[in-house]
Amino acid sequence: SFPETHGITFRIQISVKELLDTDVLLKLLFHLPVNYPSTLPDISVNSDQLTRAQCMDVKDKLLEQAKKHLSEPMVHDLILWIQQHLKYVIKQSATVCDEKTTLSKGTSTEDGIWMLLLHLDHMRAKAKYVKTVEKWASDLRLTGRLMFMGKIILILLQGDRSNIKEYLILQKTSKVDVDSSGKKCKEKMISVLCETKVQSQHKRFQTFEVKEYSTLDELQKEFETAGLTTLFSEFVPPLLK
């Protein structure tokens, strides 16, 4: 336990909906040193639903995030972040639930079709960036949408699982944007919100299109049309904070 004399300590319990439909109760302890936020908080993580190793992973990832927020109050952001990203931090991710569905469905022709939802923080060189994404989607025979709504930028892709993986590698390793001084740079601010097998209730996109939406409702309709209402409600509203 931390020395209670310096700074402040507070406990937070949050319940996070997991992919496997079990709620994970995270017990987080933040100890804020006297010179917080210019010093990182001490964090301890406990949960009855996670192994010790998984709790360590969560703690490491939280500290990694905390470094990005150094010198600004961050506890609230860290809590929001872990609520959205816990399922990626916990290594069991998508595979467990997908094996179940595959077994029960038997083999279907849609077997190898996967879906990826990405969130980009910003695009400085928008025209060039959009062209690049369109080219990759077409080279890898991926369909879907590049969606702009206010400050939110989402990329929704469907296609062969190996091509989706290939896309992610390109997205992370190519110089797709420019930094604030106009130099070409790699995409660092990208988060994979969801990577999952396309289920029978999902509609397949026939093309890859770039679209701008003026309201959240319009964006939501795009997801609903594709049979992806749950995907929308789970991942998009948290981005609006």
Side-chain angles (χ1 to χ4, degrees):
S1 158
F2 311 117
E4 301 284 341
T5 43
H6 307 294
I8 50 171
T9 299
F10 55 94
R11 291 162 205 283
I12 295 172
Q13 290 204 29
I14 52 170
S15 167
V16 184
K17 254 276 183 265
E18 255 310 290
L19 270 185
L20 303 171
D21 291 335
T22 48
D23 286 358
V24 172
L25 192 65
L26 278 187
K27 298 175 189 131
L28 304 175
L29 194 65
F30 290 86
H31 175 72
L32 310 184
V34 184
N35 41 1
Y36 168 87
S38 43
T39 332
L40 291 178
D42 282 311
I43 303 173
S44 85
V45 178
N46 285 298
S47 172
D48 300 337
Q49 289 86 12
L50 303 180
T51 62
R52 241 191 105 82
Q54 286 173 326
C55 286
M56 287 302 293
D57 280 348
V58 171
K59 177 185 162 168
D60 292 346
K61 286 286 187 284
L62 278 170
L63 284 169
E64 218 173 277
Q65 284 301 310
K67 286 185 188 128
K68 299 181 185 170
H69 292 284
L70 205 51
S71 80
E72 49 184 85
M74 62 186 87
V75 172
H76 178 66
D77 288 319
L78 294 178
I79 292 165
L80 289 172
W81 186 86
I82 197 62
Q83 282 175 310
Q84 291 171 38
H85 293 85
L86 182 65
K87 56 170 75 60
Y88 307 108
V89 176
I90 295 170
K91 306 279 190 290
Q92 67 199 31
S93 71
T95 44
V96 190
C97 61
D98 289 314
E99 279 158 16
K100 280 191 202 144
T101 48
T102 331
L103 292 173
S104 60
K105 253 173 44 181
T107 49
S108 79
T109 48
E110 297 293 299
D111 208 35
I113 301 298
W114 278 64
M115 176 163 62
L116 181 67
L117 181 63
L118 298 174
H119 173 235
L120 295 184
D121 191 68
H122 58 265
M123 281 185 185
R124 285 202 176 89
K126 185 170 166 182
K128 176 183 173 292
Y129 204 134
V130 168
K131 265 206 178 61
T132 308
V133 171
E134 288 182 305
K135 181 180 181 329
W136 289 341
S138 117
D139 290 350
L140 294 167
R141 298 190 301 282
L142 299 173
T143 61
R145 298 282 182 268
L146 168 52
M147 303 180 269
F148 295 94
M149 203 286 298
K151 284 207 159 67
I152 293 181
I153 308 168
L154 296 170
I155 302 178
L156 180 61
L157 295 169
Q158 293 178 343
D160 192 77
R161 188 174 190 186
S162 54
N163 291 354
I164 291 253
K165 293 239 174 293
E166 184 66 24
Y167 179 92
L168 263 178
I169 293 168
L170 283 170
Q171 179 83 55
K172 284 176 178 161
T173 55
S174 313
K175 295 193 168 174
V176 279
D177 206 2
V178 296
D179 62 19
S180 50
S181 62
K183 281 213 298 288
K184 289 183 171 179
C185 66
K186 293 179 183 169
E187 178 57 74
K188 297 207 170 51
M189 305 286 288
I190 183 168
S191 37
V192 177
L193 298 179
C194 179
E195 187 178 347
T196 179
K197 210 176 160 97
V198 170
Q199 306 298 337
S200 47
Q201 74 271 21
H202 301 154
K203 304 231 182 355
R204 292 287 310 283
F205 289 109
Q206 298 308 311
T207 53
F208 182 80
E209 289 175 43
V210 179
K211 295 179 96 169
E212 307 249 357
Y213 307 86
S214 45
T215 64
L216 193 61
D217 281 351
E218 283 180 20
L219 184 60
Q220 187 165 356
K221 286 210 177 63
E222 181 77 78
F223 277 81
E224 281 170 2
T225 317
L228 300 173
T229 314
T230 32
L231 189 70
F232 176 88
S233 54
E234 187 170 351
F235 296 110
V236 183
L239 302 173
L240 288 167
K241 70 146 188 88

